Amino acid sequence: MLISVEAGAPNNGKGEDTTARVKYATVRGRRHPYVSAQAVRRWIRDGMAGRGAPASPVTRVGKAQNRAQKANTDADPITYADDDLFGYMRAGAKKDDAATTLRDSPFMLGTLMSVAPVHPTEDFGVMSRGVGEPVLHGHEFYTADLAAPFLFDLPRVGTFTLPNADGVGRPNYLTQEQALQVAQAAALGAGTEVFRGQGAVRLPVKERRHRAALLLEAVAHLHGGAKQALHYGDRVPSLIVMVPFKGGVNPLAHVITGDEGGLLVRGDVLRKELAAWNGEWIPPVRVGWRPGFRDDLRADFEKECAQEIADGTIVVDHPRTVLLGLASEMRGGALDAWFDDAAQ
Amino acid sequence: MSYAEPLPAWRLTFYAPVASFRDPFFPGLARGLPVPPPSTVRGLLAAATGAPYESLAFGMAAWSEGEGVDAETYHPIDAGGANPAVSGRVRPGKGGMTLRTRPFLTGVHLTVWLPEEAGDRVARAFRRPQWGLRLGRSQDLVHLEERLEVVLRPVTEAVVGSALAPATGHDVPYAVTHRMAASVSADRMTTRWTDYLWCDRPAGRHPVRGALEDGSYQGKGQALWLLEP
């Protein structure tokens, strides 16, 4: 996915004195600003909560449970979609020798790194309203196209592996106490099965496709980040390329890249990758491209892939249309096959 | 081990736009390693095959284009529930939300050589990996760029490049020893530490000990050492 930042500073690093610095990485001596994966995951998570997925609420225990009164949320992926999709690590207390439970995120998102080197602008600010001595402060902002790969492991949504005899450190597992919640999950209609060689509890596919669709809808409404008042900007991806794959590879590494001249969208790379991975993916490739965003590149891309667009192997539309369309297809149950590993 | 005759192998090339490898010998602070530890690469191989553990010997070389330092907010979930997470957020305070720096690498290039039948089995699994491929944490997605069959030959002199070598592998004067995890047991309880030699600038032709060469690599060949778990 690609997010286009126009004179913004959506993610800032450690400030120096009175100047707020944007986050950047140094590649071959040049600065590439970035937005950390953690930040974007937070935006998506908040978007999901705003769209009606209950975020992990707080439950209170007290005298009635014969325990000291305290409020507590469980890292509970069975009940809460955000714990399920974004994972967590819940460290057990050393003194109790409690088990650490973790869930590895089925939604993996890379760092949104600028495709081309950018020199951030340092803005000099003065606060002088009604004070004798003005207060000086500065901040950096930049204009850049930030791109990141992402991978959404649909079979793992709503699938929770159980501990076996040596089931420590598996990608996610349930402790004894959480295994008790499996009873609750079973009440939701979850069944136990073997998932990728491990015993697992699975929520019914209706709930699983609902959660996956929620995430796509949150990306379609993406907003968030720092400096909103000063650098208001839209954060919905300007360009997004999605292709359903049967295995855990991501072939789109070099489809959205950049060079000294800025952004490159490589239709030829996409065609070659799709040919190389023939049989491992399910058409169509969904491309969301916002109208007006780099129309020159879009014309080149559509010319390069004219054949595929004509026969429907590649679909190009507005990112929101593409994401929301995919989400509603999921909710309708047409894509339920995606929620299980493909037969070898 | 010594191989008198050529060894068939698969060569896999990976690219990660961003990845970070924390050095576990520095508890409480994040110091980054300049190369992925062999145990991390083993995890990548196991992600493809779906097995809990892959114990084959493989050769590897890695380098990165750039680096940076990220500021990360940690939200530790206390198992005792003393400081609850509300919608993924934890209050700041002792044992609560905290800010830490985390060094990372950009443009990480990793080449892995998988020899013999075991390597053949693992390399074929990359056609349809069981789990999502990544090099490190869930945000460090990795892309498979190339997968082809090569022949390895034992040599006494070769281009060392950015290969990871055992401590006795070569005498490049500016090579640095990095102590890294060779493997982590399936139950995560025991880690085997090994010293590896690595050059932060690709080294040229040098005498090598116990090495194999992939003569087809980038036109000038590349030394590699089979690393045991």
Side-chain angles (χ1 to χ4, degrees):
Chain A
M1 68 169 75
L2 181 139
I3 290 177
S4 175
V5 175
E6 288 281 335
N11 191 210
N12 297 302
K14 226 173 161 165
E16 292 169 20
D17 301 337
T18 56
T19 305
R21 301 273 175 208
V22 297
K23 287 182 173 179
Y24 62 89
T26 312
V27 184
R28 296 185 207 91
R30 310 284 300 274
R31 284 171 71 172
H32 289 243
Y34 68 89
V35 173
S36 73
Q38 196 191 25
V40 183
R41 286 166 65 92
R42 158 68 56 203
W43 303 351
I44 297 172
R45 195 176 184 134
D46 287 351
M48 281 173 57
R51 302 193 55 70
S56 291
V58 182
T59 51
R60 187 175 184 279
V61 294
K63 219 172 191 155
Q65 292 83 11
N66 287 325
R67 292 174 67 186
Q69 62 166 18
K70 64 186 178 196
N72 188 7
T73 57
D74 273 331
D76 176 6
I78 287 169
T79 317
Y80 306 114
D82 61 343
D83 280 345
D84 177 0
L85 298 180
F86 293 94
Y88 53 84
M89 178 165 172
R90 182 170 168 223
K94 273 211 171 70
K95 62 178 195 302
D96 307 340
D97 205 22
T100 294
T101 60
L102 60 91
R103 174 154 175 80
D104 193 86
S105 175
F107 174 68
M108 309 170 201
L109 169 72
T111 304
L112 280 142
M113 186 73 73
S114 171
V115 295
V118 169
H119 197 77
T121 309
E122 188 166 329
D123 182 64
F124 187 69
V126 178
M127 168 61 195
S128 60
R129 226 173 33 250
V131 289
E133 278 190 80
V135 178
L136 309 181
H137 59 93
H139 77 275
E140 290 184 331
F141 66 92
Y142 55 84
T143 297
D145 293 325
L146 313 176
F150 66 96
L151 192 152
F152 196 10
D153 194 346
L154 290 174
R156 281 194 55 218
V157 174
T159 305
F160 313 108
T161 50
L162 292 163
N164 54 4
D166 55 346
V168 198
R170 301 305 304 142
N172 67 284
Y173 54 90
L174 300 163
T175 58
Q176 284 299 332
E177 63 170 13
Q178 281 188 303
L180 294 174
Q181 294 173 349
V182 173
Q184 189 192 340
L188 289 173
T192 51
E193 52 188 274
V194 174
F195 178 72
R196 296 181 190 173
Q198 285 172 264
V201 172
R202 229 172 194 189
L203 296 177
V205 72
K206 186 167 175 291
E207 174 65 15
R208 295 172 58 221
R209 65 194 185 210
H210 165 68
R211 288 180 179 188
L214 261 179
L215 188 131
L216 295 172
E217 286 160 0
V219 175
H221 295 89
L222 195 63
H223 63 92
K227 297 272 180 198
Q228 295 263 8
L230 215 49
H231 292 298
Y232 169 74
D234 194 25
R235 298 288 172 253
V236 173
S238 298
L239 177 58
I240 189 164
V241 183
M242 295 184 287
V243 52
F245 247 71
K246 292 175 186 171
V249 287
N250 184 327
L252 305 172
H254 301 296
V255 174
I256 300 178
T257 71
D259 61 7
E260 292 294 310
L263 177 67
L264 295 170
V265 183
R266 303 280 304 273
D268 55 328
V269 170
L270 179 61
R271 290 178 56 208
K272 283 176 192 156
E273 288 286 358
L274 292 175
W277 292 100
N278 190 19
E280 293 298 305
W281 53 280
I282 304 163
V285 179
R286 291 167 173 82
V287 180
W289 200 312
R290 298 187 75 171
F293 176 71
R294 298 302 304 266
D295 283 336
D296 53 331
L297 295 178
R298 182 167 180 168
D300 292 348
F301 176 83
E302 290 183 353
K303 201 159 79 188
E304 173 71 43
C305 301
Q307 175 63 44
E308 287 79 0
I309 292 171
D311 64 25
T313 314
I314 297 178
V315 176
V316 188
D317 207 335
H318 193 289
R320 282 179 54 91
T321 314
V322 168
L323 286 159
L324 297 175
L326 184 58
S328 73
E329 268 185 82
M330 268 183 194
R331 285 186 196 279
L335 308 176
D336 279 3
W338 292 9
F339 287 83
D340 280 303
D341 281 337
Q344 286 292 342
Chain B
M1 277 199 302
S2 71
Y3 295 98
E5 48 197 67
L7 189 69
W10 284 85
R11 182 174 83 211
L12 275 63
T13 310
F14 297 94
Y15 167 72
V18 175
S20 66
F21 312 104
R22 195 175 155 266
D23 189 339
F25 284 111
F26 291 76
L29 61 101
R31 177 183 178 272
L33 289 164
V35 279
S39 64
T40 304
V41 177
R42 271 184 202 288
L44 174 67
L45 302 180
T49 61
Y53 186 76
E54 286 297 343
S55 57
L56 77 162
F58 62 82
M60 66 176 273
W63 61 281
S64 66
E65 294 169 22
E67 60 190 0
V69 179
D70 193 15
E72 294 195 337
T73 319
Y74 283 73
H75 295 273
I77 301 172
D78 178 58
N83 186 354
V86 180
S87 139
R89 294 173 200 235
V90 174
R91 271 196 329 273
K94 189 175 184 300
M97 189 273 280
T98 179
L99 193 73
R100 287 193 181 157
T101 57
R102 171 129 187 158
F104 63 91
L105 306 171
T106 63
V108 181
H109 296 267
L110 167 72
T111 312
V112 180
W113 287 268
L114 304 167
E116 298 179 288
E117 296 85 31
D120 189 65
R121 174 182 59 82
V122 174
R124 287 184 191 283
F126 276 92
R127 181 71 190 169
R128 188 182 294 177
Q130 178 116 72
W131 302 88
L133 296 185
R134 57 208 204 185
L135 197 61
R137 305 191 295 171
S138 68
Q139 61 186 52
D140 302 332
L141 288 167
V142 69
H143 305 280
L144 176 60
E145 296 202 302
E146 188 186 41
R147 190 177 66 128
L148 53 100
E149 291 183 271
V150 294
V151 174
L152 308 178
R153 289 185 171 77
V155 285
T156 54
E157 187 182 88
V159 174
V160 172
S162 304
L164 213 56
T168 55
H170 58 72
D171 301 318
V172 178
Y174 57 85
V176 177
T177 304
H178 295 279
R179 190 159 179 76
M180 296 192 287
S183 60
V184 180
S185 65
D187 65 0
R188 313 281 308 165
M189 289 296 158
T190 45
T191 304
R192 215 180 125 254
W193 303 102
T194 310
D195 288 338
Y196 297 97
L197 284 175
W198 187 73
C199 310
D200 56 359
R201 281 174 297 134
R205 284 189 81 80
H206 286 273
V208 291
R209 289 180 292 275
L212 297 162
E213 185 185 37
D214 174 1
S216 64
Y217 187 79
Q218 294 182 352
K220 54 188 197 307
Q222 166 73 51
L224 61 113
W225 285 263
L226 293 184
L227 308 172
E228 298 291 339

